[in-house]
Amino acid sequence: MTWIFWLCAVALVYSIAGYGLLVAALSRLAPRREPVPPTSPMTFSFLIAAHNEAAHIEAKIRNTLTQDAGGHSVEVIVVSDGSTDRTVELAQGVADPRVTVLELSQHQGKADAINMGLAACRGDVVVFTDANSLLEPGSLLAIARHFGDPQVGGVCGRITVPSGKSGPTGRAEGLYWRYDQAIKTAESRLGGTVSAQGSIYAIRRELTKPLIMGCADDFLMSVNAVAAGRRLVFEPGAATSEPVSEKLGREMGRRTRSTERGWRALMVHRALMNPLRTGWYGWQLFSHKLVRRLNPLFLIGLFVSNLALIGQHWLYSVTAAAQLIFYAAGLAAMAFPAFRRFRPAALAAFFLFTHVAMLRGILRYYSGHKSVTWRPVRE
């Protein structure tokens, strides 16, 4: 049990903190890469897949159209994935020739919606963005300034969680994204950002491919650019704001599906984890995506082995007590919302909640379950 305890402890420390510190340190030794703006105007196709997004779609389209294009051209492609509310009506109500609204007759899943939209995109670059994510001013120009470099295949944007409208779960989520995006900044300077997050990212049109059903669309689409020999860069100036639901049951389902689909997409591109083929990127992909998703197994191994080692040394008694207190605080905050007002308990709940969902997602993948359709998680 001793070796299991220390193996799991080292893996967790590496995954949660060690990798981030290491990639940040190494990135400071890498040559600084300056953005290379395009020398001529480009066309950017914003692709928005929507299912029952009547509450957001009109504001999303207008928000997109008000982006400063800086001489570039913009078109907006909205694809309704079998919406049963007023999504299509409201999208068509935006009277602007730059907007095209397409519709799947049935709810077939985001992959089919994106694939339909890609066939209609005429731009040099496709900007993928969620229907409920509003773009911050300057996001398009921040994306565009990288596409003069032929080695750049895609640009990954930044997600923010509105602090003024967020509860304990939202604040914990915001803290997580700040940490994750600090890692992406370092990765971008070294081997390239590992992958995109779906709220906003842009890929050269010629590098886009039809999506595979049941795979995380943002991961698969962005990593296709790496598979083609190009780089992904992280651009914090391209940002969106997206609320987080405080309804833990719905969030659990969303995160479980996200992990299942993300793991499936990672397996599609598992060859890219070979550093002999992809250099620094291979190590980054292995550490950021594979090792991190194995954290639930490391946590279980650490807890079980720690209980078995109690009495052999005072250290194991201390670590067992610390784990029990941490998990008790997290479970209490999950069961009783009032406990989430205590910040350490809210963070413990978010940590526990996230890793339970992660474990469920991986188990669903290996049980043969394939999540294809999705429904928006409401606040």
Side-chain angles (χ1 to χ4, degrees):
M1 284 293 178
T2 303
W3 71 267
I4 294 177
F5 176 87
W6 288 107
L7 176 64
C8 292
V10 169
L12 286 166
V13 169
Y14 174 76
S15 174
I16 296 171
Y19 167 67
L21 293 172
L22 189 55
V23 75
L26 290 171
S27 70
R28 292 181 178 274
L29 304 177
R32 188 172 184 85
R33 302 174 189 266
E34 296 294 338
V36 180
T39 56
S40 58
M42 303 180 72
T43 300
F44 290 83
S45 300
F46 282 82
L47 178 52
I48 305 168
H51 173 71
N52 287 352
E53 292 286 1
H56 302 105
I57 194 65
E58 184 177 358
K60 173 65 177 186
I61 296 171
R62 295 190 186 282
N63 166 257
T64 303
L65 292 174
T66 58
Q67 283 286 308
D68 182 0
H72 301 293
S73 300
V74 170
E75 67 172 2
V76 178
I77 310 295
V78 177
V79 184
S80 168
D81 178 21
S83 297
T84 56
D85 62 1
R86 299 179 62 215
T87 296
V88 173
E89 176 190 346
L90 292 170
Q92 291 175 336
V94 180
D96 193 298
R98 295 173 293 174
V99 179
T100 300
V101 181
L102 306 174
E103 185 176 9
L104 290 170
S105 59
Q106 296 180 334
H107 186 28
Q108 297 174 210
K110 196 172 184 179
D112 277 358
I114 289 177
N115 290 341
M116 172 183 272
L118 283 174
C121 290
R122 296 167 294 177
D124 305 293
V125 174
V126 181
V127 183
F128 300 85
T129 182
D130 289 340
N132 65 335
S133 301
L134 295 181
L135 306 175
E136 292 187 1
S139 292
L140 175 55
L141 290 181
I143 288 172
R145 71 192 190 112
H146 292 276
F147 281 104
D149 184 348
Q151 289 303 309
V152 171
V155 177
C156 309
R158 175 171 61 93
I159 182 173
T160 63
V161 178
S163 57
K165 301 179 181 179
S166 299
T169 302
R171 289 192 291 271
E173 177 94 351
L175 179 63
Y176 165 77
W177 281 120
R178 290 193 294 274
Y179 171 67
D180 187 73
Q181 288 163 167
I183 293 176
K184 287 183 176 179
T185 299
E187 290 174 339
S188 186
R189 293 187 60 180
L190 198 60
T193 299
V194 163
S195 65
Q197 197 280 334
S199 60
I200 180 169
Y201 66 100
I203 305 294
R204 291 186 188 273
R205 179 68 180 86
E206 69 268 21
L207 300 181
T208 61
K209 294 181 179 180
L211 290 170
I212 301 171
M213 302 292 285
C215 289
D217 54 280
D218 47 5
F219 180 91
L220 195 63
M221 188 66 73
S222 59
V223 176
N224 281 339
V226 180
R230 308 291 184 88
R231 294 180 65 252
L232 291 174
V233 299
F234 179 65
E235 174 49 71
T240 64
S241 177
E242 187 171 320
V244 175
S245 174
E246 294 293 324
K247 298 176 181 178
L248 296 186
R250 294 184 181 182
E251 273 294 304
M252 175 69 77
R254 181 184 70 83
R255 291 169 187 273
T256 298
R257 290 190 300 273
S258 176
T259 299
E260 173 217 319
R261 291 162 58 84
W263 188 264
R264 183 173 291 107
L266 180 63
M267 293 301 101
V268 169
H269 281 304
R270 59 188 178 274
L272 297 179
M273 289 188 282
N274 180 2
L276 297 178
R277 175 183 174 184
T278 54
W280 287 114
Y281 179 85
W283 166 66
Q284 293 173 183
L285 182 60
F286 172 81
S287 301
H288 197 150
K289 293 298 182 180
L290 188 139
V291 176
R292 182 181 290 185
R293 289 194 173 111
L294 294 179
N295 277 355
L297 301 180
F298 299 141
L299 288 167
I300 293 171
L302 184 72
F303 185 71
V304 172
S305 62
N306 199 169
L307 293 180
L309 291 169
I310 291 176
Q312 295 193 21
H313 192 279
W314 65 265
L315 174 64
Y316 297 121
S317 298
V318 171
T319 54
Q323 289 189 76
L324 288 169
I325 292 171
F326 181 82
Y327 290 136
L331 288 171
M334 289 174 63
F336 306 102
F339 278 91
R340 296 178 213 162
R341 298 174 186 172
F342 182 49
R343 189 175 180 85
L347 292 174
F350 179 79
F351 181 90
L352 182 58
F353 173 85
T354 299
H355 286 88
V356 169
M358 204 178 293
L359 178 62
R360 291 181 69 216
I362 291 178
L363 292 177
R364 279 162 63 103
Y365 169 82
Y366 284 107
S367 68
H369 189 95
K370 182 179 289 190
S371 299
V372 175
T373 60
W374 93 106
R375 296 182 186 278
V377 175
R378 306 301 182 192
E379 295 179 82

